[in-house]
Amino acid sequence: MLLLTIIVYFHFNLSSSQGNELPYMTSDVKEVSGKLFDYIIVGGGTTGCPLAATLSQDFSVLLVERGGSPYGNPLVIDKRYYGFSLLQTDEFSSVAQSFISKDGVKNHRGRVLGGSSAINGGFYSRASDNFVERAGWDEELVKESYEWVESRVVFTPELTPWQIVFEFGLLEAGILPYNGYSLEHIEGTKVGGSVFDNWGKRHTSADLLEAGNPKNITVLLNATVKNIIFHTNDNAGNENETRAWGIRFIKSDGSSNKIHEAYLHRPKNSSPWGDVILSSGALGSPQILLLSGIGPHEHLKNFDIPLIQHLKGVGQGMQDNPCIALLVDKMPMNRLPEPPQVVGIADGLRFIIEAGVAPISFNASRMPIAAKIAFPVSKGKLELQSTDARQNPSVEFNYLEKDKDMNECVKMAELLERVAKSESIALFLGLKPQEKLMSSTDELRKLCKNNVRTYYHYHGGCAIGSVVDDDYKVYSVNGLRVIDGSTFQESPGTNPMATLMMLGRYQGIKLLRQRRDASSNL
């Protein structure tokens, strides 16, 4: 029955118009091979799509995505199949690519136009004011960029019975005040925005491409970037100047190892160049830098990769927010999946708690309540496992390695238990309310150690200050930027999706302004 539904849905969506504003998309690498563009964006994900749409106002843009199109795929678009994409993964073509960190924790990354906004829970919530201030961003432009995103892909959810009950459970546990519907990251219990509309259709960051100039954007799908092409020459001071010149790419499906190239357009006279911009996420962007010869010299030598620039920070400072989940139902049942719509933000924004209905197979689901530590201090690193860009790099997050994180996890588990065993949730599930809560501190520490998992909000690897500067330019290399979650040293808000979408728009506007200012000064 599920297969029949998918086939019908697929054909319906192919015949339905997606709007005439989407740019040209192709999976034929030959159509792009050898061509010139003002900007090349590697990664058509949560940040890359709004960035491409914005830059296309004035410039030609090549957007390269290693996965395919989300349109016509019910595992992406239809809320009824939320979470199913994480159950069905393969080596080269699935919309979610699974990986297991060296910590032994299973995880996923998006491999589809729209990136992780196409496979996540769709919960939309901005970063805190403090995060924006510490990032040094222009507050007014941040606000305008969030609103640009929200006017296109964000909706007010209609709460399900389970989400309403969970809301009461949060309030019973003392997660106050009640803030109603809000997109702001504030203490208490609130209803957030959603990229699922009220008809159950997901709107990924790929939809933001409709806001661009379709004549100026080419989207290359199912193509994996192997590395960046550089050109080195002597400048007036007889110092070597290294500049990103283009990219090398292959087909993602493994059917061919033939290498293709695309290049940045070389401006006439002294007009400014465009950039190669990595927006491939916290695993993809540091991996591509390493494969291109930018990173720790000793590590690159292990793979016989010629050194372009020794930057020891590439792949360092990897973090993932430790998560603990409790199942409140007694056994798997055939419930429709539900993404989270309500969140509890507790203890000075330190703990984030959400609930949903998560599929564990195509005909069974469970009801977890999950909490994450918002500000972990434990860090890990990312390294290459091979020179095949289609394969996952090696990553270790060192969950709960620092005592501070373990102590935070114990406090979080106590709060999580109060929510899960609240009277509202017990009555909803037909259970007798439990007066006795779990456990001693030792038992909670054991729970944390044995059950830590991911909240899918990993970040780092190309941090500002060690790999890129405040304008997201890679140090000591011209024409190369990284704009995505790999530059973060903290996951913003309840989750990073809203801020990553905003960042694409924000940095796109800044680049347009810089180019216009530079042209006016010629």
Side-chain angles (χ1 to χ4, degrees):
M1 183 65 185
L2 173 62
L3 179 61
L4 177 62
T5 304
I6 290 175
I7 292 171
V8 171
Y9 189 97
F10 180 78
H11 285 291
F12 173 79
N13 273 269
L14 284 184
S15 63
S16 299
S17 171
Q18 296 292 341
N20 57 10
E21 295 299 320
L22 281 172
Y24 178 68
M25 301 184 189
T26 180
S27 294
D28 187 350
V29 291
K30 295 177 183 177
E31 290 190 43
V32 173
S33 184
K35 291 190 175 180
L36 305 174
F37 301 87
D38 296 320
Y39 285 91
I40 297 174
I41 300 174
V42 182
T46 311
T47 303
C49 288
L51 179 60
T54 303
L55 291 175
S56 72
Q57 294 174 25
D58 290 355
F59 300 102
S60 63
V61 180
L62 172 63
L63 181 63
V64 184
E65 168 53 44
R66 67 198 186 108
S69 168
Y71 300 111
N73 185 343
L75 298 187
V76 172
I77 301 298
D78 194 330
K79 187 167 72 171
R80 292 174 298 175
Y81 305 126
Y82 155 68
F84 283 12
S85 61
L86 306 187
L87 303 176
Q88 197 172 54
T89 63
D90 58 38
E91 187 174 14
F92 292 126
S93 63
S94 56
V95 298
Q97 182 179 15
S98 64
F99 68 95
I100 299 176
S101 71
K102 292 178 72 174
D103 314 275
V105 175
K106 187 173 183 180
N107 214 318
H108 293 88
R109 53 195 293 220
R111 183 169 52 191
V112 60
L113 190 67
S116 292
S117 73
I119 64 172
N120 65 11
F123 192 93
Y124 183 98
S125 186
R126 298 179 180 184
S128 67
D129 292 341
N130 184 257
F131 183 95
V132 172
E133 182 180 351
R134 283 185 284 111
W137 293 335
D138 179 322
E139 293 182 13
E140 187 59 34
L141 183 55
V142 166
K143 181 174 181 292
E144 292 174 6
S145 299
Y146 274 128
E147 290 173 349
W148 180 86
V149 172
E150 290 153 12
S151 67
R152 290 167 171 82
V153 297
V154 180
F155 305 86
T156 304
E158 295 180 357
L159 297 189
T160 65
W162 168 226
Q163 292 296 308
I164 293 170
V165 168
F166 173 62
E167 193 174 44
F168 280 114
L170 292 171
L171 297 172
E172 276 186 53
I175 302 179
L176 301 167
Y178 179 63
N179 295 307
Y181 175 74
S182 175
L183 300 180
E184 302 299 333
H185 189 56
I186 47 180
E187 182 100 6
T189 295
K190 73 165 191 173
V191 179
S194 178
V195 299
F196 289 102
D197 64 27
N198 289 331
W199 290 269
K201 178 182 177 183
R202 182 195 293 267
H203 296 263
T204 76
S205 68
D207 288 16
L208 297 174
L209 291 170
E210 295 181 359
N213 181 350
K215 295 180 180 179
N216 277 348
I217 306 176
T218 299
V219 179
L220 177 61
L221 301 171
N222 300 303
T224 298
V225 170
K226 284 181 63 68
N227 52 35
I228 300 160
I229 302 169
F230 296 101
H231 180 74
T232 303
N233 63 346
D234 291 338
N235 62 23
N238 293 321
E239 296 179 359
N240 286 336
E241 179 184 81
T242 301
R243 172 174 290 281
W245 199 261
I247 57 170
R248 297 184 182 93
F249 55 93
I250 58 175
K251 295 175 69 174
S252 294
D253 63 7
S255 64
S256 171
N257 288 320
K258 184 176 180 180
I259 298 173
H260 301 266
E261 297 182 352
Y263 311 100
L264 288 175
H265 181 262
R266 186 171 183 176
K268 297 178 181 179
N269 304 322
S270 57
S271 299
W273 284 71
D275 301 293
V276 173
I277 302 175
L278 301 185
S279 296
S280 299
L283 265 62
S285 289
Q287 179 187 28
I288 293 170
L289 286 180
L290 292 170
L291 291 172
S292 302
I294 298 176
H297 187 198
E298 289 302 313
H299 180 55
L300 298 178
K301 281 171 58 178
N302 294 336
F303 293 89
D304 296 321
I305 297 173
L307 180 69
I308 297 296
Q309 182 63 44
H310 173 63
L311 278 181
K312 64 181 181 180
V314 176
Q316 301 301 306
M318 297 296 298
Q319 280 193 312
D320 192 12
N321 300 84
C323 166
I324 298 296
L326 296 179
L327 296 172
V328 296
D329 52 350
K330 289 184 176 180
M331 64 185 70
M333 294 184 68
N334 190 13
R335 302 180 186 88
L336 275 179
E338 284 185 24
Q341 300 172 317
V342 173
V343 65
I345 304 169
D347 285 4
L349 313 184
R350 289 156 50 206
F351 304 138
I352 310 296
I353 305 180
E354 293 177 334
V357 178
I360 58 173
S361 70
F362 287 110
N363 56 13
S365 58
R366 298 301 303 266
M367 299 174 67
I369 298 178
K372 77 167 185 177
I373 299 172
F375 311 117
V377 295
S378 303
K379 294 183 179 182
K381 64 180 179 179
L382 176 149
E383 294 181 328
L384 297 176
Q385 295 192 106
S386 76
T387 56
D388 185 350
R390 294 170 300 187
Q391 302 294 334
N392 289 310
S394 166
V395 63
E396 185 172 27
F397 296 112
N398 291 320
Y399 298 99
L400 306 178
E401 178 188 53
K402 301 293 185 182
D403 287 341
K404 181 178 183 296
D405 289 345
M406 178 59 80
N407 293 336
E408 288 281 271
C409 188
V410 169
K411 294 176 185 176
M412 181 178 72
E414 291 173 344
L415 178 61
L416 180 63
E417 190 181 27
R418 289 206 304 272
V419 176
K421 295 185 177 181
S422 65
E423 184 175 350
S424 296
I425 290 176
L427 292 174
F428 178 76
L429 295 172
L431 304 174
K432 183 179 179 181
Q434 300 182 39
E435 295 183 6
K436 180 183 180 301
L437 295 180
M438 195 187 293
S439 353
S440 65
T441 298
D442 286 343
E443 288 175 308
L444 292 173
R445 288 177 70 89
K446 186 176 180 180
L447 171 74
C448 288
K449 183 178 179 180
N450 294 338
N451 295 281
V452 66
R453 47 162 288 182
T454 183
Y455 224 72
Y456 304 105
H457 299 164
Y458 49 87
H459 51 279
C462 297
I464 291 176
S466 64
V467 177
V468 299
D469 64 17
D470 290 340
D471 288 321
Y472 297 81
K473 296 178 181 178
V474 175
Y475 286 119
S476 303
V477 180
N478 292 326
L480 179 61
R481 300 178 194 249
V482 180
I483 304 177
D484 61 19
S486 69
T487 65
F488 291 168
Q489 298 184 59
E490 171 192 320
S491 182
T494 60
N495 71 78
M497 179 179 69
T499 302
L500 290 172
M501 288 181 176
M502 180 281 294
L503 183 66
R505 175 64 175 178
Y506 179 96
Q507 290 299 326
I509 291 175
K510 287 194 67 176
L511 284 170
L512 291 179
R513 289 176 178 175
Q514 290 169 6
R515 290 290 296 270
R516 289 166 186 167
D517 290 344
S519 297
S520 66
N521 292 329
L522 292 177

